[in-house]
Amino acid sequence: MSGAEEGPAPVRDPGLQPERTRMAWRRTTLSCAVAVVLAWRQVLVTGEPTATEVILVALLVLAGLAFLTAAHTRMRRLAAPAAAGPPRTMGIRTALLATGCTLILVGLGAAITL
């Protein structure tokens, strides 16, 4: 046995990890919004937008809104009072929605720049 006694384990602050996760969702949502705005700007700068470009930008906006919905759902669950226990894990539907929206944003954004 060593001469130094170990004290009780430090108490974990349950608010830090959910706060970091909320901030990450907000940054990602902001990134999606910037991607949509830059895609719309790209379409406008190239001259008269074609119907295809307008449809692609509209789909980008819809995908961005769907991602915003998924992010808002997750952030609302993370904001639940600590007395309710730890935050629930992300549901499979929310995870699939966020992943699908991200892939759609990437694919449509690449299609607009071509």
Side-chain angles (χ1 to χ4, degrees):
M1 191 170 161
S2 67
E5 292 184 29
E6 291 186 29
V11 178
R12 179 179 170 273
D13 184 359
L16 293 177
Q17 199 275 327
E19 181 181 356
R20 286 192 304 269
T21 304
R22 260 192 318 275
M23 290 169 53
W25 276 104
R26 288 182 188 191
R27 284 190 306 269
T28 306
T29 304
L30 179 62
S31 298
C32 288
V34 169
V36 170
V37 169
L38 289 176
W40 181 245
R41 182 181 176 276
Q42 177 71 22
V43 167
L44 292 177
V45 167
T46 59
E48 189 66 30
T50 65
T52 304
E53 290 172 333
V54 172
I55 290 171
L56 288 175
V57 170
L59 290 174
L60 271 172
V61 169
L62 289 175
L65 289 174
F67 189 86
L68 178 65
T69 301
H72 181 70
T73 300
R74 185 62 184 148
M75 286 188 287
R76 196 171 20 141
R77 287 186 180 156
L78 288 171
R88 293 184 297 167
T89 58
M90 185 185 324
I92 189 72
R93 288 188 313 188
T94 305
L96 289 174
L97 178 63
T99 303
C101 290
T102 302
L103 294 174
I104 289 170
L105 284 165
V106 169
L108 292 175
I112 287 175
T113 60
L114 295 177

